[in-house]
């Protein structure tokens, strides 16, 4: 048992119980991105589109990330690298000014796609498990494919600006219709308008994301002891812990009492939706 400590691990051989083999995922490559997505078209619902057509103006209030679709394909000229195609689906909430009345709420869908190329390392092993299913036309299960797993971490986007344009403008002419998955369409309680409208809503979003590729790996780690929960089971939300005991462990927030000057605070915790004038 002491051989694990002699290889640079800081541990007491007397505290080690055994060497444990674990199965986990190894990160082969990763990247981070800061995307400014300009003039992203918003596909409004049928009722919202009718309001926009008669409105004098509209401004996007909030953008929420609904879902992220990820597809991984090997690069043809380099077997160690993979293309990760990512499609983000956003729910957009806006306020439209109709006459002199108070703003009316509009909502719809925006779609943004991007690609990243990362190293996924080469592995000749074909991995099968008990949940492997033959579900392809050629009889090959996607679970058995020798590809790494792509993981995308993304924050809800910041709303940077928005605009309303008439369809007669050259920049707003019809393009190829977007193909929306059925499970995305079902997230809206009204039909989405994909074409035929007279006015369109556009939004510019700022988005932070992290993309990484992972592969299954088996590791041997030294074990001090098995992890046993210390918290007792509770049958109601209020019995987990005494609130005063929990409050006593919170450090005093001295920094929040210090003057912060006259600049506007852009702390993400101050508001769920980021907006700027425009």
């Amino acid at each position: 048992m002491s051989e694990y400590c002699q290889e640079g691990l800081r541990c007491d051989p007397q505290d080690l119980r055994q060497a444990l083999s674990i199965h986990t995922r190894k990160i082969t490559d990763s990247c981070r991105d800061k995307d400014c997505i300009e003039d992203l078209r918003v596909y409004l619902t049928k009722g919202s589109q009718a309001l926009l057509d008669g409105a004098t103006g509209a401004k996007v209030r909030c953008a929420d990330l609904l879902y992220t679709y990820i597809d991984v394909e090997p690069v043809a000229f380099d077997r160690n690298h993979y293309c990760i195609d990512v499609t983000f689906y956003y729910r957009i909430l806006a306020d439209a000014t109709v006459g002199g009345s108070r703003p009316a709420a509009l909502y719809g869908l925006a779609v943004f796609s991007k690609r990243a190329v990362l190293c996924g390392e080469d592995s000749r092993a074909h991995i099968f498990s008990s949940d492997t299913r033959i579900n392809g036309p050629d009889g090959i299960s996607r679970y058995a494919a020798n590809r790494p797993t792509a993981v995308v971490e993304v924050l809800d986007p910041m709303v940077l600006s928005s605009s309303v344009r008439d369809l007669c403008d050259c920049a707003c002419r019809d393009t190829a219709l977007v193909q929306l998955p059925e499970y995305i369409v079902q997230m809206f309680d009204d039909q989405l308008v994909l074409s035929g409208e007279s006015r369109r809503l556009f939004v510019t979003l700022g988005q932070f994301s992290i993309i990484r590729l992972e592969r299954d790996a088996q590791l041997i780690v030294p074990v001090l002891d098995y992890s046993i929960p210390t918290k007792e089971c509770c049958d109601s939300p209020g019995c987990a812990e005494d609130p005063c005991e929990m409050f006593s462990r919170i450090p005093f927030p001295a920094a929040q009492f210090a003057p912060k000057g006259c600049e506007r605070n852009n702390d993400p915790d101050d508001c769920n939706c980021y907006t700027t004038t425009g």
Side-chain angles (χ1 to χ4, degrees):
M1 193 65 62
S2 61
E3 64 185 33
Y4 297 101
C5 296
Q6 293 173 357
E7 293 178 358
L9 297 177
R10 296 181 178 179
C11 56
D12 186 351
Q14 301 298 325
D15 292 336
L16 292 177
R17 302 293 184 265
Q18 61 180 345
L20 184 66
S21 177
I22 65 170
H23 176 266
T24 186
R25 284 180 176 176
K26 169 190 174 183
I27 298 177
T28 61
D29 199 3
S30 62
C31 64
R32 65 180 185 182
D33 224 339
K34 181 180 178 181
D35 294 299
C36 182
I37 313 166
E38 296 185 89
D39 294 335
L40 194 62
R41 179 182 170 185
V42 180
Y43 300 94
L44 295 173
T45 61
K46 190 174 181 179
S48 296
Q49 185 64 53
L51 287 173
L52 181 67
D53 291 340
T56 57
K59 183 177 181 180
V60 173
R61 184 198 315 172
C62 230
D64 297 323
L65 182 63
L66 289 177
Y67 183 73
T68 302
Y69 174 78
I70 309 169
D71 186 46
V72 181
E73 293 291 340
V75 177
F77 53 85
D78 191 345
R79 64 183 302 169
N80 289 330
H81 287 76
Y82 293 81
C83 286
I84 303 101
D85 291 305
V86 187
T87 303
F88 303 97
Y89 298 93
Y90 309 100
R91 178 186 281 112
I92 306 298
L93 181 63
D95 293 320
T97 304
V98 182
S101 60
R102 59 185 301 178
L106 310 178
Y107 71 103
L109 174 72
V111 182
F112 170 63
S113 297
K114 63 177 297 180
R115 168 174 289 185
V117 177
L118 295 176
C119 176
E121 297 186 351
D122 186 22
S123 174
R124 299 183 182 276
H126 296 275
I127 302 173
F128 294 84
S129 62
S130 59
D131 58 357
T132 299
R133 298 291 183 269
I134 298 178
N135 54 5
D138 54 359
I140 300 176
S141 170
R142 66 183 182 90
Y143 295 103
N146 183 18
R147 294 179 186 176
T149 300
V151 178
V152 177
E153 297 184 33
V154 58
L155 302 178
D156 280 330
M158 300 169 58
V159 177
L160 303 179
S161 66
S162 60
S163 62
V164 178
R165 303 175 191 172
D166 294 330
L167 194 59
C168 60
D169 295 340
C170 296
C172 296
R173 296 194 183 278
D174 278 325
T175 57
L177 290 178
V178 64
Q179 298 295 325
L180 299 177
E182 185 62 28
Y183 55 84
I184 295 295
V185 175
Q186 292 177 355
M187 293 183 179
F188 295 84
D189 57 5
D190 196 1
Q191 180 182 357
L192 294 172
V193 178
L194 304 182
S195 63
E197 71 276 31
S198 60
R199 309 181 78 188
R200 288 180 180 173
L201 178 64
F202 292 84
V203 63
T204 296
L205 302 177
Q207 178 179 268
F208 297 93
S209 61
I210 296 176
I211 303 176
R212 65 178 182 265
L213 284 180
E214 301 176 346
R215 275 197 182 275
D216 288 352
Q218 296 185 32
L219 303 176
I220 296 178
V221 296
V223 178
L224 297 179
D225 208 340
Y226 283 97
S227 176
I228 304 297
T230 58
K231 184 178 71 174
E232 295 183 0
C233 296
C234 177
D235 59 359
S236 65
C239 70
E241 187 176 12
D242 179 77
C244 291
E245 175 66 22
M246 180 183 65
F247 181 73
S248 67
R249 295 197 301 270
I250 299 177
F252 190 85
Q256 298 187 23
F257 286 85
K260 295 183 179 180
C262 298
E263 294 184 359
R264 183 178 179 180
N265 183 15
N266 292 323
D267 190 349
D269 292 335
D270 288 347
C271 183
N272 291 329
C273 302
Y274 300 87
T275 58
T276 60
T277 58

